[in-house]
Amino acid sequence: MVHTPLGVGILGFGGLGQAMARMLRAKQEMRWIAVADKQGYAYRPAGLELDACQAAYAQGSVGHLEPVGVMSTQSIADLVAQAPEVEGYFLALPNLPNTFMAEVARQFIASGWRGVLVDALKRTSAVEQLLGLQDDLRQAGITYLTGCGATPGLLTAAAALAAQSYEEVLAVTITFGVGIANWEAYRATIREDIAHLPGYSVERAMGLSDAEVEALLDQTGGLLKLEHMEHADDILLELAGVCPRDRVTVGGVVDTRNPKKPLSTHVKLTGRTFEGRVSTHIFTLGDETSMAANVCGPALGYLKAGRRLWCQGHCGLLTSADVMPQFVR
Ligand code: NAD
């Protein structure tokens, strides 16, 4: 039996959106056919070319792509209305303000489109907003998988798996190291990380000009050291029944001037077995793997898993701790 590749759309064409498009080039089971950024969108059912889209984006927007690009100030709504062959979207959008992703979900619910949505959302309070849309998503025929990047995402799923050895999970500690050559390739990621620094908020980080971000990074030698972050791994593990959220801690170091990771990303899960022994499982990511590989790979795996659930009629909100991602060929 010949299967047609799944039609995939990417919303947001910054660091992660472009990395996802690059990853999709090697996949037979999926085809990248739609993209939107803040100023425009492009849709081509036969498949989009990464180089051409990047060239258009360098001029300001994928909307400049000839002949299929369209400039628009409501690019997501317009694309969703114009692109019936998209069966699943990866949301590589900034969650700035902190209500943005829930707003996008509401747009999808209102649009009448049915299919799979996957995000790499980070904040606990942002996931809580999506929980409020659970019933609306189900009724709209949308299978929405949230928190499906690296953390939350790959590491949350690893914690949910590691928990199986234990009768009680006592502590989950996630520590990430990210190295990127320059912050401008991942503006939203860095602004959202700055929002976790003492004295900052999402609003304040969102309001920073690029020059102000540069000045802050100059003061820290390009490093962002983050502790006790409001990270949705906690609520995702709580919802999955692994442990109460106050047993989950997340922190890390981001080097914005060096692609080498400042430390190895890992998750440590301590628990007590049914025999009463306390032990710790540790899952460490390879240092050579980039943030993009560890976010986009799992997100794509969750898109495939979400598609299978959708085909079985399972709609609503699910998380990276509920479902095992499926490897995409
Ligand atoms: P970026 O700043 O590089 O790109 C954002 C893109 O979104 C741009 O193309 C921009 O044009 C587009 N955009 C902005 N507003 C839009 C709108 N209203 N309509 C359509 N498009 C719009 O972002 P990034 O650094 O790639 O990060 C994307 C998201 O991924 C962030 O929210 C970040 O926190 C998240 N992230 C998650 C993880 C994880 O492990 N879970 C890791 C890294 C990043």
Side-chain angles (χ1 to χ4, degrees), residues 107-236:
Q107 275 188 48
F108 270 99
I109 291 164
S111 74
W113 178 86
R114 301 162 73 84
V116 183
L117 300 176
V118 173
D119 72 32
L121 209 53
K122 293 214 273 202
R123 280 196 176 252
T124 309
S125 49
V127 169
E128 279 167 343
Q129 294 164 39
L130 288 176
L131 283 173
L133 298 174
Q134 172 83 273
D135 292 341
D136 294 338
L137 287 165
R138 194 178 299 122
Q139 278 156 23
I142 293 172
T143 303
Y144 191 127
L145 284 136
T146 188
C148 297
T151 168
L154 184 56
L155 298 180
T156 334
L161 192 60
Q164 309 305 320
S165 301
Y166 301 104
E167 194 170 77
E168 187 185 1
V169 172
L170 304 172
V172 180
T173 309
I174 291 174
T175 310
F176 62 83
V178 169
I180 52 178
N182 80 77
W183 83 275
E184 289 174 336
Y186 294 97
R187 284 167 200 260
T189 301
I190 298 306
R191 277 205 173 77
E192 288 177 41
D193 281 342
I194 288 173
H196 290 277
L197 292 174
Y200 284 85
S201 61
V202 174
E203 290 67 34
R204 184 161 174 221
M206 191 180 157
L208 292 176
S209 67
D210 286 358
E212 284 168 330
V213 173
E214 296 278 359
L216 171 69
L217 294 174
D218 277 343
Q219 278 170 26
T220 64
L223 294 178
L224 296 174
K225 293 187 181 149
L226 304 156
E227 286 174 341
H228 297 287
M229 301 170 79
E230 186 215 308
H231 237 240
D233 307 81
D234 63 357
I235 189 173
L236 301 191

Side-chain angles (χ1 to χ4, degrees), residues 12-16 37-38 57 93-94 120 122 150-151 186 188-189 192 295:
F13 199 55
L16 289 182
D37 59 39
K38 201 172 184 178
Y57 191 67
L93 297 163
K122 293 214 273 202
T151 168
Y186 294 97
T189 301
E192 288 177 41
V295 172

